[in-house]
Amino acid sequence: MNFSLEDSTTDIVPPKLEEIARDVVKNAKCCESVQKDLLFVLIIVMMMENGFYPITNEGDPVCVDSKCLENWKNSSILNARFTLFGFNEVALSLIISPLGPTALINVVINDLNSETYTVCVPVSRYVVSPHASTIPMIFRDLKHLSNTFKNNISTPVKSRILSLYGYPSASIIGLPEEVYYKFTQLLPVHDVVTMSQTCRRLKCLNDNQILWRDLYRRDFKEELPPEQSENSDWKTSYKETYVAKRDASLRRTAGTLHDFMDYSDLVAHIDNPLWDNMII
């Protein structure tokens, strides 16, 4: 495509989007249906822009048009298969499920234990005028949609596939696990907690007890319990010690300014609601 979705205006959209959208509008039966179908088209175009191409169940390439869109639909749900260019052995499932005024977009990496990447988007934010006089005027805010899709779907999926094949990636998600753990151990604990909120893969990586053992030993050398073993719940131990230090700092009635600054930073992060979501 010689024109990207994020560069769209009310005067021009990518040719593939305009071609399929025109057929969808022409054959539409109701406004609600056409709005949903136009969002389907947007997502499919974004998949193709980001290096994914549609395939049949047998792995053969598919030429995308409005008829193809109808074949992928089952009731109100769209289910299509894609693969990343250059990595034909890895099949992906694109599943879009309308949920009232929103649509839930899932991309499942079938060959990686059905690892799933998800984002929910408001349909009417991007498909605002299904019966506008021109195709470009149907859509709005496509740069935001494109960035949202890249951040939540295409970049993590591509990084995961690259990581599977041993290729480096510009994304944290694409780093080999041993490299990821090495730099994670250099971060403040609140950054580790915050990263865990970004996607399911980082949540899984950051639940590793070895990581929390090393963080505990790094931050609480003097409190290291002698009875802890390799199978201990280091994550819970870290939180309990963290909270104990926070409580001790609150009870403190005297101390140097340096001490106060150290503990005030600790308190600021332990009170973050992310902590309870991630550490418990």
Side-chain angles (χ1 to χ4, degrees):
M1 294 183 184
N2 54 10
F3 185 81
S4 67
L5 198 76
E6 65 180 76
D7 296 324
S8 299
T9 67
T10 53
D11 296 317
I12 184 172
V13 294
K16 193 65 176 179
L17 172 59
E18 182 155 13
E19 173 192 336
I20 304 174
R22 183 176 289 107
D23 286 343
V24 168
V25 172
K26 180 180 177 181
N27 300 318
K29 296 179 180 179
C30 67
C31 182
E32 182 180 354
S33 173
V34 71
Q35 192 174 36
K36 173 194 68 180
D37 288 350
L38 288 170
L39 181 75
F40 290 167
V41 175
L42 284 174
I43 304 306
I44 291 168
V45 169
M46 284 191 294
M47 289 287 288
M48 296 169 67
E49 280 190 350
N50 283 280
F52 302 95
Y53 64 91
I55 57 173
T56 64
N57 291 336
E58 292 73 33
D60 298 322
V62 172
C63 181
V64 178
D65 54 24
S66 58
K67 183 180 293 187
C68 177
L69 185 69
E70 288 300 318
N71 293 335
W72 284 336
K73 286 166 57 180
N74 181 8
S75 182
S76 62
I77 298 175
L78 181 138
N79 192 332
R81 288 172 66 85
F82 282 79
T83 189
L84 179 62
F85 183 78
F87 299 89
N88 302 352
E89 299 84 0
V90 181
L92 311 171
S93 293
L94 169 67
I95 305 169
I96 311 176
S97 308
L99 299 173
T102 65
L104 184 67
I105 305 167
N106 293 291
V107 172
V108 183
I109 306 179
N110 300 321
D111 298 327
L112 287 177
N113 299 316
S114 297
E115 192 169 301
T116 304
Y117 297 81
T118 303
V119 66
C120 191
V121 299
V123 179
S124 59
R125 175 171 183 175
Y126 308 112
V127 185
V128 296
S129 304
H131 298 292
S133 57
T134 67
I135 297 300
M137 291 180 67
I138 292 174
F139 306 104
R140 295 288 189 282
D141 216 1
L142 295 188
K143 182 173 184 177
H144 181 271
L145 177 62
S146 181
N147 289 334
T148 299
F149 187 80
K150 286 178 182 178
N151 292 338
N152 291 277
I153 301 288
S154 63
T155 298
V157 170
K158 284 195 284 188
S159 296
R160 186 68 181 96
I161 294 173
L162 288 171
S163 177
L164 175 67
Y165 281 88
Y167 290 99
S169 154
S171 168
I172 290 176
I173 303 169
L175 290 175
E177 289 187 11
E178 61 273 17
V179 176
Y180 175 80
Y181 285 131
K182 283 187 178 297
F183 92 77
T184 302
Q185 291 166 24
L186 302 175
L187 297 176
V189 69
H190 73 280
D191 287 345
V192 178
V193 172
T194 302
M195 280 201 311
S196 299
Q197 286 283 300
T198 59
C199 74
R200 189 172 300 177
R201 173 163 166 75
L202 293 189
K203 167 72 166 64
C204 182
L205 287 173
N206 287 357
D207 278 342
N208 188 293
Q209 292 296 330
I210 303 282
L211 170 65
W212 286 98
R213 179 202 65 189
D214 293 342
L215 290 174
Y216 192 107
R217 291 174 173 173
R218 181 196 71 183
D219 297 339
F220 308 125
K221 293 178 182 178
E222 66 279 9
E223 287 86 6
L224 187 62
E227 68 277 5
Q228 289 279 52
S229 68
E230 293 300 317
N231 296 322
S232 298
D233 189 347
W234 288 94
K235 197 175 184 184
T236 298
S237 297
Y238 191 104
K239 180 180 180 180
E240 290 172 349
T241 306
Y242 204 117
V243 171
K245 276 187 167 290
R246 186 272 305 272
D247 292 344
S249 72
L250 294 177
R251 292 193 298 267
R252 184 172 301 187
T253 58
T256 66
L257 179 60
H258 181 270
D259 289 336
F260 177 76
M261 290 174 65
D262 287 344
Y263 281 105
S264 65
D265 182 68
L266 192 68
V267 172
H269 299 309
I270 191 65
D271 285 339
N272 189 315
L274 287 179
W275 179 269
D276 288 331
N277 291 336
M278 296 306 306
I279 304 302
I280 291 178

